[in-house]
Amino acid sequence: MDRGPHISNASSYRKGIAERVVRFALFLKDRGFKVYQNSIIDALRSLLQLDMGSRDEFMWALRANFVSRDEEWNQFGELFRLYWGEKEDSQVTGDGISPGPQPSNTEETVDDGETEGLIENTGEGDNDPVTETRWLEGVAYSALEALEKKNFNALSNNELQTAQLALRGFMQPFKLNRTRRSKRSQKRGKLDFPRIMRESLKRDGNPSRLYFKEKKRRLKRLVILADVSGSMDRYARFVMPFLLGLRSIGARAEVFVFSTSLTVITRFVRHLSLEKALERISREVPDWSGGTRIGFCLRQFNQGQGKRLMSRRSVVVILSDGWDLGGREILVREMAALRKKVFCVLWLNPIESDPDLRSVCRGMQAALPYIDHVLPADNLQSLRRVGHLLSRLMVH
Amino acid sequence: MSNDFGSVDEVIEQLSAESYVADRALATVLFLSHRLEKPIFLEGEPGVGKTEVALVMARIFNTELIRLQCYEGLDSSSALYEWNYPKQMLHIRLLEQKDIRVADMEQAIYEPRFLIKRPLLEAVMRSREIAPVLLIDEIDRSDEEFEAFLLEVLSDFQITIPEIGTIKAIKRPIVVVTSNRTRDVHDALKRRCLYHWIDYPDFEKEYKIVLARIPDIEADFASQITRFMQRLRKVDFLKRPGISETLDWAKALIAMERKRLDEEVVAETLGCLLKYQEDIATFKRDVWSDSGQRASYL
């Protein structure tokens, strides 16, 4: 097996590889991959099992260990090439996995003292920053999207806290149902043999009473699609606490925001504190307060993330004023597709109670046949009503 | 057949001996999963042969396949173990006639013979002799709570039964977990597995699969069917047909004693390929109504 020209002995070669693999793991982590500590160790163990001469096997071994979902799977090939260099190199196996001086693109992410490598490679590093920014941005920009970003500080702390408090009450029904999941019941469902047994042991094995159990009740999945376009601007004060309040529903709520395109914000609202979440969302949603293309965004949802989320056990809540600049046809088609796959669709409309505004929004009219409930969402009272309805719909 | 994979090449060889056509990437992952004794987590569209991997592995190692089909509401008593309560009850009745102390009676009714072994316990206990293949199918259908049961099993291959103690597998079973991505599986579970995504096959691979799985098919016919399927998958359907549909269709055509595809037979057997009324309508409207397209498919 040809291990390339740089390698003087096997152990230093191995050490170099180990180091680069660990850095590669960090490189992937920077790009949103979930790389676990034990995956790194197992990746290295995997490499020991394989013949290191094959670059493909090397890649597959790392892929099996570092990838844990299909989005990562699709990106892996390109990131692998970016980090380990192109296959067309003169010594395919040697260069691909050698511990020698690296192409400069890896140096940008891995901050250490290997400046020599950087200087040596400045020639071929010229086009790297371009690739680099493309990866770092992660979100595609389009001419339609307004780039200015929403400043959440406009939302005063007081307002937020009040809203939060009200929303906690609004979320109560969900919590109740989650904790009430024991399954003893009075007289319904199947016989609870373990319990009958246990009780009978006290009486020398004479079952004196029958106990029953029933199915646990559980929650459906909640999918929120929130409109954050310009026309929704003045309702933002309701939108944001509402979205953030959803953290308490736990693992089954998924939150998206849209205006001209769709962005997932579940991971922000679920894992970060309120302030951090606000900060991240305003930074990462590229077209906050932009125009609206509801149909297009629904299509994005239906064909992307939605595939995973839509089932008869999902409740979809669309939060929008229905002010749509996109095509009517696509909206109707995508609403129909969405409605067919989920348990029910709710439309929360902040201008529902204002008849003048309501009649203007044609997007809304077109989508009406596919919506189970249209509810106003312009004050806390109406949000509470939404809460009641949701708590009824969500349990099955 | 040998009970060990020596190299990636050997994996491919043995897989193809069992008429499973795998690309090198999958073979590498299977090899690693075998060597590192890590479960393998397979994702992919329905009908691309995820479950088949486990069936083939069981044949290769000449061992038993223990299958746990996941569903919503699957709990520990149907996945791990359950006490056979009616039988215990009867036993108590019999013991009563012999005048035995309560403590002894308790001892007697918690013997392993009153234990109903469900798939996971079965897999752990069976592996005392020869490691079985444990297939945990469609894990995404189960509840989040159920994944927690799996963690103990998948990391240590041991199951704790309060009345008996901890049962530990001596030889680790080969575990294959499959998912259709209807929901996200928890990180703690994925962390313990090697991940592999099985995609729709390209022409070459699908052609090989058809030839391998349907021995009495003619090469020309197989390639015509495969070409048709490859084209069909480019159409925007609700559910694109997988490999299993290709094989079903090929078998159906052979049963109908066809040697070539023609317009008529395609229209007759469309139900083998497309399983939604909308998809069939789309196909008839967008593809089959146009004579140029029809010709290019055949």
Side-chain angles (χ1 to χ4, degrees):
Chain A
M1 177 174 65
D2 176 26
R3 280 178 171 171
H6 330 278
I7 297 96
S8 50
N9 65 58
S11 83
S12 78
Y13 168 78
R14 274 195 180 159
K15 202 169 146 238
I17 284 285
E19 196 180 324
R20 289 210 66 197
V21 168
V22 173
R23 286 199 185 148
F24 180 55
L26 297 177
F27 172 82
L28 291 177
K29 229 173 182 170
D30 279 347
R31 275 145 188 83
F33 276 53
K34 274 189 182 149
V35 179
Y36 314 100
Q37 205 60 45
N38 78 322
S39 316
I40 301 178
I41 296 165
D42 282 339
L44 294 171
R45 281 175 60 210
S46 306
L47 294 181
L48 289 179
Q49 300 289 341
L50 293 172
D51 171 10
M52 293 284 269
S54 159
R55 182 190 160 98
D56 281 340
E57 279 178 24
F58 177 74
M59 171 183 153
W60 295 329
L62 293 187
R63 185 170 65 181
N65 282 290
F66 290 154
V67 167
S68 60
R69 50 183 313 139
D70 53 323
E71 288 96 340
E72 294 175 359
W73 180 271
N74 293 333
Q75 281 185 35
F76 187 87
E78 193 157 344
L79 290 175
F80 182 86
R81 276 190 295 281
L82 195 64
Y83 184 88
W84 298 95
E86 285 300 327
K87 206 174 186 170
E88 295 82 62
D89 286 350
S90 50
Q91 302 119 356
V92 174
T93 55
D95 263 17
I97 50 181
S98 78
Q102 312 312 331
S104 59
N105 50 16
T106 58
E107 242 61 44
E108 280 177 31
T109 46
V110 185
D111 52 318
D112 69 331
E114 283 183 29
T115 39
E116 295 163 65
L118 255 182
I119 296 161
E120 271 176 31
N121 285 311
T122 38
E124 47 177 47
D126 279 343
N127 52 359
D128 283 329
V130 185
T131 356
E132 204 58 23
T133 25
R134 186 155 52 85
W135 281 106
L136 289 175
E137 275 171 3
V139 191
Y141 286 78
S142 82
L144 277 166
E145 287 164 333
L147 287 176
E148 83 257 43
K149 290 171 186 178
K150 180 70 193 167
N151 186 5
F152 281 106
N153 298 333
L155 224 66
S156 84
N157 252 347
N158 244 348
E159 281 171 323
L160 265 180
Q161 274 168 8
T162 322
Q164 281 277 300
L165 215 65
L167 281 161
R168 196 171 301 155
F170 151 172
M171 294 302 163
Q172 212 65 56
F174 300 116
K175 285 198 174 147
L176 251 177
N177 278 314
R178 279 182 78 84
T179 49
R180 222 183 48 204
R181 287 166 83 189
S182 80
K183 45 175 185 170
R184 288 182 180 177
S185 86
Q186 282 309 308
K187 229 180 186 146
R188 214 174 119 180
K190 285 155 62 179
L191 282 170
D192 187 355
F193 268 117
R195 189 149 179 240
I196 295 169
M197 251 325 253
R198 258 196 322 276
E199 297 293 328
S200 73
L201 279 177
K202 292 177 195 155
R203 295 179 189 78
D204 289 345
N206 270 323
S208 60
R209 211 192 127 179
L210 292 181
Y211 295 91
F212 295 86
K213 60 181 178 185
E214 63 178 314
K215 275 240 154 194
K216 294 176 186 178
R217 313 185 80 187
R218 44 178 309 120
L219 293 180
K220 296 194 178 66
R221 190 201 305 271
L222 185 62
V223 180
I224 310 270
L225 302 170
D227 187 346
V228 292
S229 61
S231 59
M232 285 290 283
D233 226 6
R234 55 194 173 125
Y235 308 104
R237 129 173 48 171
F238 291 111
V239 180
M240 284 324 295
F242 180 82
L243 297 183
L244 294 169
L246 292 170
R247 276 184 302 186
S248 51
I249 299 188
R252 289 183 88 80
E254 293 274 345
V255 188
F256 297 82
V257 293
F258 67 90
S259 57
T260 49
S261 65
L262 191 77
T263 316
V264 201
I265 58 166
T266 309
R267 63 199 154 110
F268 306 142
V269 299
R270 203 185 289 162
H271 299 300
L272 299 175
S273 69
L274 181 66
E275 292 76 23
K276 273 196 180 154
L278 284 173
E279 198 256 327
R280 282 295 289 274
I281 294 167
S282 65
R283 188 148 47 90
E284 306 231 353
V285 177
D287 52 352
W288 192 275
S289 301
T292 327
R293 291 187 295 174
I294 304 179
F296 178 78
C297 295
L298 280 176
R299 188 182 159 84
Q300 258 187 312
F301 175 76
N302 285 345
Q303 300 197 335
Q305 296 266 0
K307 276 197 182 146
R308 182 169 59 83
L309 299 174
M310 288 188 295
S311 73
R312 298 297 297 169
R313 293 202 176 89
S314 308
V315 174
V316 175
V317 175
I318 300 174
L319 186 90
S320 168
D321 55 4
W323 188 273
D324 189 12
L325 299 174
R328 188 194 179 96
E329 234 167 72
I330 183 172
L331 175 67
V332 172
R333 195 171 62 234
E334 296 303 326
M335 274 307 288
L338 177 69
R339 180 64 194 87
K340 211 179 292 170
K341 291 232 178 98
V342 300
F343 178 75
C344 77
V345 180
L346 267 70
W347 191 301
L348 305 190
N349 190 353
I351 56 171
E352 171 68 13
S353 47
D354 187 338
D356 294 340
L357 284 172
R358 202 174 48 183
S359 55
V360 183
C361 299
R362 63 192 180 94
M364 184 72 185
Q365 297 299 327
L368 273 179
Y370 306 103
I371 298 167
D372 299 87
H373 304 271
V374 184
L375 293 160
D378 47 359
N379 56 35
L380 285 175
Q381 203 188 354
S382 60
L383 278 183
R384 192 167 300 126
R385 271 179 49 208
V386 175
H388 284 307
L389 179 66
L390 270 181
S391 66
R392 202 155 45 78
L393 291 174
M394 289 284 287
V395 181
H396 71 237
Chain B
M1 194 154 282
S2 87
N3 280 329
D4 205 17
F5 284 150
S7 67
V8 177
D9 293 306
E10 204 174 304
V11 179
I12 296 176
E13 208 174 283
Q14 297 204 15
L15 285 174
S16 64
E18 293 295 337
S19 56
Y20 188 91
V21 180
D23 49 41
R24 237 190 131 75
L26 175 60
T28 309
V29 176
L30 287 174
F31 172 72
L32 288 175
S33 130
H34 175 70
R35 280 296 177 90
L36 303 183
E37 299 190 325
K38 265 187 108 170
I40 172 162
F41 190 95
L42 294 174
E43 279 194 326
E45 300 296 332
V48 290
K50 298 188 291 293
T51 307
E52 195 63 27
V53 171
L55 302 178
V56 169
M57 291 290 273
R59 285 207 296 274
I60 287 179
F61 290 105
N62 198 14
T63 178
E64 208 167 338
L65 177 80
I66 297 172
R67 178 174 183 157
L68 176 64
Q69 170 67 52
C70 296
Y71 55 87
E72 175 132 3
L74 178 67
D75 55 4
S76 63
S77 62
S78 38
L80 294 175
Y81 67 91
E82 193 173 19
W83 289 104
N84 191 342
Y85 297 110
K87 201 172 164 194
Q88 280 175 322
M89 212 83 99
L90 278 173
H91 194 67
I92 291 172
R93 284 271 173 230
L94 292 174
L95 289 178
E96 271 173 354
Q97 296 168 0
K98 290 189 198 158
D99 191 28
I100 291 179
R101 283 187 305 131
V102 177
D104 291 339
M105 196 187 298
E106 266 182 43
Q107 181 106 52
I109 60 170
Y110 285 118
E111 278 173 12
R113 65 190 164 119
F114 294 109
L115 199 63
I116 303 174
K117 283 179 262 173
R118 302 294 188 198
L120 293 180
L121 182 64
E122 183 86 40
V124 167
M125 288 177 90
R126 188 60 57 89
S127 50
R128 281 164 194 272
E129 304 128 36
I130 174 170
V133 173
L134 172 63
L135 167 64
I136 300 171
D137 213 3
E138 302 187 326
I139 176 98
D140 51 329
R141 282 169 177 246
S142 69
D143 313 308
E144 278 97 350
E145 297 90 329
F146 174 71
E147 287 174 26
F149 297 125
L150 273 184
L151 294 181
E152 188 188 6
V153 180
L154 291 191
S155 53
D156 304 324
F157 290 96
Q158 63 175 38
I159 289 172
T160 309
I161 301 172
E163 294 87 352
I164 295 181
T166 301
I167 299 173
K168 203 167 162 49
I170 292 170
K171 227 169 167 249
R172 289 180 164 224
I174 302 156
V175 183
V176 179
V177 185
T178 75
S179 159
N180 284 329
R181 290 183 311 147
T182 55
R183 71 172 174 83
D184 275 343
V185 174
H186 197 274
D187 292 345
L189 186 65
K190 285 189 166 175
R191 195 161 62 76
R192 288 168 168 79
C193 304
L194 291 175
Y195 181 91
H196 190 84
W197 171 266
I198 301 186
D199 214 341
Y200 289 120
D202 54 13
F203 175 82
E204 199 97 325
K205 188 177 166 198
E206 189 166 20
Y207 177 64
K208 272 193 211 157
I209 294 172
V210 173
L211 286 183
R213 298 305 291 271
I214 305 173
D216 44 348
I217 197 167
E218 281 168 29
D220 277 356
F221 193 29
S223 98
Q224 195 190 16
I225 289 175
T226 312
R227 230 176 314 119
F228 186 96
M229 294 304 286
Q230 292 283 332
R231 273 200 75 125
L232 194 65
R233 281 194 200 106
K234 296 204 177 89
V235 184
D236 186 20
F237 290 126
L238 287 176
K239 160 78 184 78
R240 287 191 284 170
I243 283 281
S244 62
E245 273 82 11
T246 311
L247 296 175
D248 282 351
W249 193 40
K251 280 178 204 153
L253 292 171
I254 286 182
M256 292 165 76
E257 294 180 353
R258 298 289 175 150
K259 298 271 184 243
R260 278 206 71 75
L261 287 180
D262 54 51
E263 293 182 13
E264 180 197 354
V265 76
V266 168
E268 277 170 11
T269 53
L270 215 47
C272 294
L273 302 175
L274 302 171
K275 307 292 167 78
Y276 284 90
Q277 184 53 41
E278 287 94 329
D279 284 349
I280 293 179
T282 311
F283 180 77
K284 283 186 174 156
R285 189 183 62 236
D286 297 350
V287 180
W288 221 234
S289 57
D290 181 73
S291 60
Q293 286 220 50
R294 274 205 302 270
S296 71
Y297 263 82
L298 294 174

